[in-house]
Amino acid sequence: MNKEMLKKEMSFGHVMLWIVIFVLLLITLFPFYWVVRTSFTPASLMYSDAVKMLPSKLTGMNYVRVLGMVSAEESLALGGSGQSVNFLVNVRNSFVIAFITTVCQVFFCAMAGYGFSRLRFPGRDKIFALILATMMVPGVVMMIPNFVFVRQLGLLNTYGGIVLPALFMTPYSVFFMRQFFMGINKEIEEAAYLDGAGQYRTFFMIIMPLMQTAVITLAVTVAINTWNDYMWPLIVGRKEELRTLTVALGVFRSQTPQGQPDWSGLMAGTVLAIIPAFIIYAFLGKKIINSIQFSGFR
């Protein structure tokens, strides 16, 4: 009798758990649904259909307008602001900046993390503690010093100025890689040294292949954060030909000759900006989950 009651309680608990998970998932995904729903809503029905789960009429013209595939007069006639986004140029800029930042940051942070986890040198722990302490400093505090530094180097309105602050390493990335290196058994490296491999060869040919999951996870994290960055590219890359997609969408929102933002066009551009991140997570999501379960080699 007790076993039957226990099974019923467990069954009820599982049902309640699934209900809670479903509700939380619904709360999480609803804003994304509303973005997509708004992107397919005609600009003329934006406010009249504001409380409807589905608009009275669906249209793909918002994407056509935001991509500049119609004239400004036609865009205004459709209820838009008459503005557009130079999508291909903005995506190219976002991709170049994200790619350079990701490759360089992962490479240098991997070496730094390996050094802090394996090499012994005076003040190692104090230096690492100082790096961890900088994680508590808000990024906005460093924005003005970084801007002054970039300006003095003459790198304003260049790709170099945009990628420079995060090009080499960040405290979180160094800490992330160090923790994974700490989980790898030192006997693997010692065996490589006995076979005649040097430190660099051991690092690049033995240790780094074992760190594939951690490297992919960090690369995805850095790429997504760089792709979504708004404030720094806005300050440093003010030229139109250097605008990233996030900055271009911000400019698109501010161009409101009719007195109100073109929300349907803005949401269409937002959906286009989300697609690359969605593709990355779709293909590499399993690697990220595996990294959470990573416990090293014993």
Side-chain angles (χ1 to χ4, degrees), residues 277-294:
F278 178 80
I279 294 174
I280 291 176
Y281 277 116
F283 284 96
L284 300 177
K286 185 176 291 187
K287 292 287 185 180
I288 299 175
I289 299 299
N290 290 339
S291 71
I292 300 174
Q293 303 171 348
F294 181 85

Side-chain angles (χ1 to χ4, degrees), residues 47-282:
Y47 296 99
S48 60
D49 289 356
V51 296
K52 296 180 179 179
M53 291 299 296
L54 286 174
S56 304
K57 180 182 178 182
L58 296 176
T59 180
M61 289 302 298
N62 295 326
Y63 292 90
V64 176
R65 289 193 298 103
V66 77
L67 293 175
M69 299 174 67
V70 296
S71 64
E73 293 75 13
E74 291 175 312
S75 178
L76 290 171
L78 292 170
S81 62
Q83 308 298 325
S84 63
V85 174
N86 197 343
F87 185 75
L88 294 179
V89 173
N90 301 142
V91 168
R92 180 203 64 191
N93 294 335
S94 294
F95 178 80
V96 169
I97 293 169
F99 179 79
I100 295 174
T101 303
T102 301
V103 172
C104 293
Q105 190 176 138
V106 170
F107 177 73
F108 290 115
C109 288
M111 292 196 295
Y114 181 78
F116 281 118
S117 66
R118 290 292 191 266
L119 304 182
R120 297 189 177 277
F121 52 88
R124 183 192 68 172
D125 295 337
K126 293 181 180 179
I127 295 175
F128 184 68
L130 183 62
I131 291 176
L132 291 183
T134 59
M135 294 176 64
M136 295 182 289
V137 179
V140 67
V141 174
M142 301 301 299
M143 194 166 293
I144 295 178
N146 284 336
F147 177 80
V148 173
F149 180 63
V150 169
R151 185 182 63 182
Q152 290 177 343
L153 292 176
L155 294 177
L156 290 179
N157 294 312
T158 64
Y159 285 125
I162 297 176
V163 304
L164 185 59
L167 185 64
F168 297 105
M169 61 183 69
T170 60
Y172 168 77
S173 299
V174 173
F175 171 75
F176 181 87
M177 295 303 295
R178 176 186 178 273
Q179 295 308 108
F180 275 86
F181 282 123
M182 294 288 288
I184 296 180
N185 198 321
K186 294 183 180 180
E187 295 177 359
I188 298 176
E189 298 164 77
E190 293 172 357
Y193 296 148
L194 291 175
D195 289 338
Q199 202 163 59
Y200 286 100
R201 186 176 180 183
T202 301
F203 174 75
F204 286 108
M205 300 187 66
I206 297 175
I207 301 302
M208 287 304 292
L210 296 176
M211 294 288 293
Q212 180 183 7
T213 301
V215 169
I216 292 176
T217 302
L218 181 60
V220 171
T221 303
V222 174
I224 296 301
N225 289 339
T226 306
W227 183 273
N228 292 331
D229 192 16
Y230 173 76
M231 187 58 67
W232 182 252
L234 174 66
I235 295 174
V236 179
R238 302 188 65 87
K239 288 185 178 180
E240 185 175 354
E241 58 269 21
L242 285 174
R243 285 176 184 167
T244 60
L245 188 56
T246 53
V247 174
L249 291 176
V251 174
F252 178 84
R253 179 185 179 278
S254 64
Q255 294 172 335
T256 55
Q258 293 182 331
Q260 59 188 14
D262 182 5
W263 293 114
S264 56
L266 181 62
M267 292 301 102
T270 303
V271 171
L272 294 175
I274 292 173
I275 291 176
F278 178 80
I279 294 174
I280 291 176
Y281 277 116

